[in-house]
Amino acid sequence: MTLAIDGKEVTVPAGTLIIRAAEQLGIEIPRFCDHPLLRPAGACRQCYVRIEGQPKLATSCTVPVAAGMSVQTQASDDEVADAQRANLEFLLLNHPLDCPICDRGGECPLQDQALAYGPGDSRFREAKRVFKKPIPLSPLVALDRERCVLCARCTRFCDEISGDRFLELYARGAGERVAIAAGEDFRSPFSGNTVQICPVGALTSVPYRFAARPFDLTYGDSVCPHCSAGCNLRVDLRRGDVVRHLARDEYEVNDAWLCDKGRYAFRFPDSSERVTTPLIRDHGLEPASFGEVLTSIAGWVDRGRVGVLTGGRLMDEDYYALSKLARTVFRTNDLDHRRDHGAGFVEGAIAGGGMPVTYRNVEEAKVILVAGLDAEQEVPILHLRLRKAAERGARIVVLHPRRTRLWDVAEHIPCRPGDEAWLLEKEEGRHRPEIESVATAMREAGDAGIVIAGPRLADHPQAVDRARTFASDAGGRFAYVTRRANDRGALVAGVHPWLLPNGRSSIDEDRAEVESVWGPLDIPDRGRDWRGILEAAANREIDVLFLIGVDPLRDYPDAALARRALENVPRKVVQSLELASLARYADAFLPAAAFLEKEGHVTTWEGRGQRLQRVRDPLGMSRPDWEIFASLALACGGDLGFETLDELHEEMGTLLAPRATRHLAVADTGAAPTPVEDGELLLFTYPLLVNDGRLSEGADELKAALADPPFVEIHPNNAGTAGVADGSDVRVTTAAGEATLPARVTEHVSEGSLFVPFDQAGFAANTLLQGRFSIAATIDPVDAPADEDPVEVGAGGAA
Amino acid sequence: MSVTFERRLTRDWDDPGVIAIDGYRAKGGYEALKNALTKEPAAIIDTVKASGLRGRGGAGFPAGVKWSFVPTTTGKPTYVVVNFDESEPGTCNNRELVDRDPHRLLEGTAIAALAIGCRTAFIYVRGEYLAQSLVLGTAIGEAYEAGFLGTGIAGSDVDLDIVLHRGAGAYICGEETALLNSLEGFRGQPRLRPPFPAVEGLYASPTVINNVETLMSVPDIVLRGPEWFRELGTEKSPGTKLFTISGKVERPGNYELPLGTPLRVLLEDVAGGVLGGRSLKAWTPGGSSTPLLTADHIDTPLDYESVAAAGSLLGTGAVMVLDDTDCVVDAAQRMTRFYANESCGKCTPCREGTWWAERVLGRIAEGYGHPEDLPVMRDMGKHIMFRAFCALADGAAAVIDSSLKHFSEEFEEHVQLGRCPLQVEHEEVAV
């Protein structure tokens, strides 16, 4: 539709609001309540325009364009400008003039627009409205009701976007205010978004309150280091320290949102635990130069067998360099970034498979099956996109042993952990009755049908493949969603025991393509996976164990095995931000730069590569991981062949260029589903959003707001059989150990299963595990102890 | 000049027996519903259209036309909602209509339901109208008992339920979209239009919202025909209307008059003249949200067109009378206080503007006005009127605008003298 705004013509799709059409022409219309991702409110009345032929002024945020419409803004119509001035005068009547002490001062839409369009002077002689302030809505968000202009962005965000309807407008007239139910905390993992979209300083972040003035800040663009959602961040620094994360608008990824972990867990790069000097073990760990440490490591590598373990949080460039380092210098395939079975033999196709599902596909889908993913807790921004899809009419089905926060917009098919593979496979050519209607809907939806397999499915060797087959049978799309920020990048780079870069197998002819760039590879067909590496280390079949951004004691589902490996392997090289629990084991430490100190890319769960800016210089002597790998290669007498990012990117471009993928015909060697005997329950675990992870160090307000103390969830029928009451202590026993935890008896966990969160402060669930994220367990009631401490945590039995 | 005509809506007011269903039926009650059941819905709508019946809630929109907007092929249910949130200051005619003749409302509602294919109708009662909701509750029970509500009403195969819902005491809930929000259990704030309620109203389904008096006019129209209805009133404002007259008059109360009857007849002949024989200073034609008129307008016929031509609105037909001892600034402040108090808070001009105006007016009334306050007040009317989300603020602006228009000298005298020229004691009320 073509219309004219201030005499300039613009053509926009039908349904576009006038204010959006004006944006396309670069015409700014002042506004407060309008937000492109929220439904029109028409509440603040700031965006008046004149529509020719209409007697009254209109609010441009509520009126869709019409063909041939002629619109005048404040730039070309005096009455519009006058109305906007008057409205600003109204808004400022009760707004306190405390800009000099307000967090928003200097970056405040009200301040900016009052300056640009306001009357400049006040005719107001009365006393302003007074409220008690600030009101703590939660340990993260504080409310100053005097500054509030009642635009209802925050309440609409809670209603329309997160669905966590904690905030509501209360009372009326000039006494109207944003409120929360008495005694209630704003316990939404998306609460911080309301602060960012507040057009004044009414909602403020507790961690940022009075921390900085906008003109004190330096900042840069980055990508959130926490999960695989890939949210676009602005990192704000004051005198070099991170003081704030803000969401950057990126409608293909995070819209304009962040989860509270992404927003508030920002202190880890400045943690007092951070080590920024290379260390070498002499009597104790002693500071040394990079040269000395690298030379020592080169000596160990030269004489020994090497295994490499890494987490999922390095950059694409780091992983590529590591993949090449392991193969060409360490001559091993014993490297892995996973801590589960991964997607089994589907991984090659995933690694080289580009972006089969994007956020946009999710938003526009008609049917979505979410299997093995608690999206709100594991990939929160995907959760918001799923809610958006539901809002647009998509049918969402969640296959999961535990109720998820999609409960109000999705159907839930409860199952025992591990039963997903069984449920998704056909029996005699037919789908099982529980899943039949989903399969039918998927077939009807064609490529608007999506199956999302979450990281929990990877605990079971066939499940991810079954989910993929289920999708392809119906002609739908399939995505395997990993949890950590760059698991996908690690997989693509070939940080994997039998996959080389871009999903090429090291077992067959693919290998030649890699050798044409890297030179001949002197490595076995397949190396050991993370579990094999830990077992080999424990059995002294490995001499040097590299731990790159990973803490085996905390990250792997077998604390006892990790401990044996660390105790038995002769040389441990740690490359990370800090040593933490590895301090007593490390023989050498290489200080890595944090995500905001590096330039490079990370890959979202979709497969989308996103660039990180170097927001600040690496602290101390720390260096980007790939640079350390390149130097280590030289120290070992090898050469990765790149010294600059440009050279590295050029080589990555060769090996990571798009290519046809194959479904590798590799026999799956994974274990069978977790066995459970009669009388036993199946314990399963995954990390909740706010846990004791190392990237949440220092995020005390976040933990105070959202962290749960450790617990075990038990279905009422199982609790009844075992004689366990809700809230009482229960002893959970597995082959690996036992723990005493407070019971949450709830129908929201499937009968026959137990849920414990993976890494909650005060309880490391991996002390109960033996190599998988599920295990057979028994429960017994514990007589309540007389003392006040409800949590008594047993140590790992085998440790 | 006097007025003689056959009373219609109030004809049974002298007979308390009609409050019960037997008395109502003895006077021909529910015959119109039986008659309507024999007609096609479209025929009912045509009859009401032909009568020219206009909405009595204030806007005066033709009722039959409103009904004809309701789409019946959407696959969604349709709803009739009775707006009995009568809260306009000075208005209490709906209250007395229900008090004295509750079944006529149920019958009118049932006929409207037939016309648009509604199977569940709602009556939204102002929260403070406890007595009326009890009366209606009893009447609804009787109607179910007698088979005029429920399954197969009046022996037909049509089902109809009526749900009585009490509000929680907010003027804004008389605004039809705020009423719908409130009825659905949400906060009573107006909704964005479009979609209009006729298309997406209650529970996002096609909905007709009518005033009590409008619906109570319907049974007679169905039974006696549009021509009969048009015998009284004017060409464009046919029929009779209940006027509520209050303030400085000898006999305040609700009086039924043909539309087009001049104020002079209502004030002098019907209500006995200005209290104590004093002279008329100002009056509202339709509640506090309609612009004030003065003694110069005493011969204005009370119909939609004539009142509009005089510069005001017929509104709810609530005439409030000020005499020559009343202070206009004081009156304006009292009325503005009502709007400041009842503004729902959703939009800026209404929320902040009424709050500011009430304070400035209070200062002027008390003698603390500044010369600069008068331009502020003139701007206030300009910047609130037609700028807010809904019409509530227009009502507030109307008071300020019209009082300044007709009585600007009185405002100026307050400022110059530093006191009320009429020596009216300004009562400070904490809000």
Side-chain angles (χ1 to χ4, degrees), chain B residues 78 122 131 146 154 167 170 197 234 258 284 346 357 360 420 425:
Chain B
T78 54
F122 294 82
T234 69
T284 66
K346 177 167 183 154
V360 176
C420 176
E425 185 128 348

Side-chain angles (χ1 to χ4, degrees), chain A residues 464-632:
Chain A
V464 177
D465 183 46
R466 294 290 183 278
R468 183 175 185 269
T469 307
F470 185 83
S472 61
D473 281 357
R477 298 168 186 267
F478 172 76
Y480 169 53
V481 176
T482 48
R483 190 182 295 116
R484 292 172 299 183
N486 206 18
D487 277 325
R488 181 67 172 263
L491 182 63
V492 172
V495 181
H496 192 282
W498 48 269
L499 283 176
L500 296 167
N502 222 9
R504 292 180 181 86
S505 161
S506 75
I507 300 165
D508 58 24
E509 66 273 15
D510 279 358
R511 185 164 166 162
E513 290 177 30
V514 179
E515 288 180 328
S516 72
V517 179
W518 286 2
L521 295 177
D522 174 21
I523 49 174
D525 281 353
R526 30 190 325 162
R528 285 177 273 228
D529 65 7
W530 63 269
R531 188 174 167 82
I533 293 168
L534 284 178
E535 278 167 355
N539 296 333
R540 296 181 187 267
E541 291 160 13
I542 281 179
D543 304 300
V544 189
L545 182 60
F546 281 85
L547 301 166
I548 317 287
V550 67
D551 181 348
L553 294 172
R554 299 173 61 150
D555 294 351
Y556 292 111
D558 193 336
L561 172 64
R563 192 171 301 276
R564 282 205 310 281
L566 291 174
E567 281 166 357
N568 289 350
V569 74
R571 299 290 185 189
K572 279 89 46 186
V573 179
V574 175
Q575 178 170 321
S576 190
L577 301 185
E578 59 180 45
L579 278 156
S581 55
L582 297 176
R584 54 186 285 216
Y585 299 108
D587 296 287
F589 176 81
L590 296 163
F595 77 104
L596 75 162
E597 296 155 7
K598 318 196 262 194
E599 187 183 339
H601 296 76
V602 292
T603 307
T604 65
W605 63 265
E606 313 159 88
R608 180 192 307 272
Q610 297 196 104
R611 183 166 173 270
L612 287 80
Q613 271 183 4
R614 182 156 156 163
V615 181
R616 73 176 184 199
D617 291 339
L619 291 193
M621 293 168 72
S622 64
R623 296 168 66 188
D625 292 88
W626 72 266
E627 279 186 37
I628 301 176
F629 298 143
S631 302
L632 180 57

Side-chain angles (χ1 to χ4, degrees), chain B residues 88-89 91 283-290 312-320:
Chain B
E88 177 69 21
T91 314
W283 56 287
T284 66
S288 65
S289 64
T290 56
S312 187
L313 297 160
L314 187 62
T316 58
V319 176
M320 295 193 282

Side-chain angles (χ1 to χ4, degrees), chain A residues 713-759:
Chain A
E713 277 180 359
I714 309 170
H715 189 274
N717 292 356
N718 303 125
T721 308
V724 172
D726 187 34
S728 69
D729 279 357
V730 59
R731 186 182 302 109
V732 180
T733 310
T734 71
E738 64 170 52
T740 302
L741 296 164
R744 288 188 185 176
V745 177
T746 168
E747 287 171 352
H748 297 152
V749 67
S750 293
E751 187 171 357
S753 53
L754 298 173
F755 173 75
V756 295
F758 182 68
D759 194 10

